[in-house]
Amino acid sequence: MLVIFNPIAGRRRATALWRVLDLLVENGINVEVAETKYAGHATVLAREAAEAGRLMVVAAGGDGTIAEVANGLLGSDTALGIIPLGTANVLAKEYKLSTTARGIANALAYKRTQPLWPGVVRLRGRDQVFVQMVGLGFDGAVVHGLQPLLKRAIGRGAYVWQSLWESVAYPFPCVRLTVDGHDYEAASVVVSKGRLYGGPYLLAPNAMSTAPGFQVALFERPGTFPALLAGAALPLGLLPHCPGVRVVAGSDITFVNNDEIMTQSDGDALPCTPAAVVNAARPISLIVG
């Protein structure tokens, strides 16, 4: 198997990775590690591996790294493995993947799979695969403003800090969109493939990562108080029932007549407002153990 890892992820994460790799090698599994050198390099490495006929490519990192690898594997028969080393590891929690070194190694060795049906976000001049969510508005502003050093130092707490700041600083421009031909307006929007958001927290109870389609969370009320209320409801599992939050199902989402809206995809900032979100043409085989 080919393991793709970002070497700037930090010493702690590298140590966690090598615990898994040591167990695989001890059990006679041939492992090759490829380190990324720039943003998007994981996609290139994964695509080359799929074209070479590799049976499995493993993303060692968080949801952003997993999405980059998925970009390279889409349309191939190469399976996607995960060594969850991110801050939130939302996709790993979505599929109830093990977080122990032995559990991860066992899953990769036995290769049992479930389908992962990604989404595709359409940007100016290119498409990008996402595996968990795309967020426009407040959600995007938090990711755009997040300082990498703070994230590395305090992990999920960095998101809490940045969310508090953006609840006051963000101007909440209107996001206009259509979902399967129906028009909506909201202060912020999260298009989700999965049930969870920000870690183990429930956002879209009816979402199915294994099938095409999305759950679209519409945060309809702008301003500091609604943002703080949503933040307080999230760890309690009450966000889908929060006043001003509506979740609708759909497969074809377009964003129309918007000013530039800050956007994130699987925890990574996007350079522009997307034109649309659609289903990928086919699923990826995700190794779940």
Side-chain angles (χ1 to χ4, degrees), residues 195-244:
R195 299 168 55 254
L196 305 179
Y197 174 87
Y201 308 123
L202 185 66
L203 171 65
N206 297 320
M208 293 183 62
S209 297
T210 58
F214 309 97
Q215 296 288 305
V216 184
L218 305 168
F219 297 82
E220 297 175 320
R221 298 179 182 178
T224 301
F225 179 74
L228 293 176
L229 181 62
L234 179 63
L236 300 175
L238 300 175
L239 186 56
H241 311 291
C242 192

Side-chain angles (χ1 to χ4, degrees), residues 121-169:
V121 55
R122 290 189 167 154
L123 305 168
R124 287 193 291 266
R126 68 182 176 93
D127 290 350
Q128 179 168 318
V129 169
F130 67 96
V131 295
Q132 192 67 24
M133 72 189 70
V134 171
L136 294 87
F138 180 79
D139 192 58
V142 170
V143 171
H144 274 260
L146 198 65
Q147 297 300 313
L149 288 177
L150 184 63
K151 180 180 175 182
R152 192 177 300 177
I154 63 174
R156 202 175 298 168
Y159 288 94
V160 176
W161 169 258
Q162 194 64 36
S163 295
L164 291 172
W165 171 258
E166 296 296 345
S167 70
V168 177

Side-chain angles (χ1 to χ4, degrees), residues 30-92:
N30 184 20
V31 178
E32 179 184 346
V33 178
E35 294 185 345
T36 60
K37 295 180 172 60
Y38 53 86
H41 193 201
T43 297
V44 175
L45 292 170
R47 185 176 295 117
E48 290 173 349
E51 290 171 351
R54 295 247 189 190
L55 298 179
M56 182 196 313
V57 174
V58 179
D63 293 310
T65 302
I66 295 166
E68 279 199 25
V69 173
N71 264 282
L73 299 184
L74 194 66
S76 75
D77 294 324
T78 302
L80 169 63
I82 296 175
I83 300 176
L85 301 175
T87 303
N89 297 315
V90 185
L91 186 70

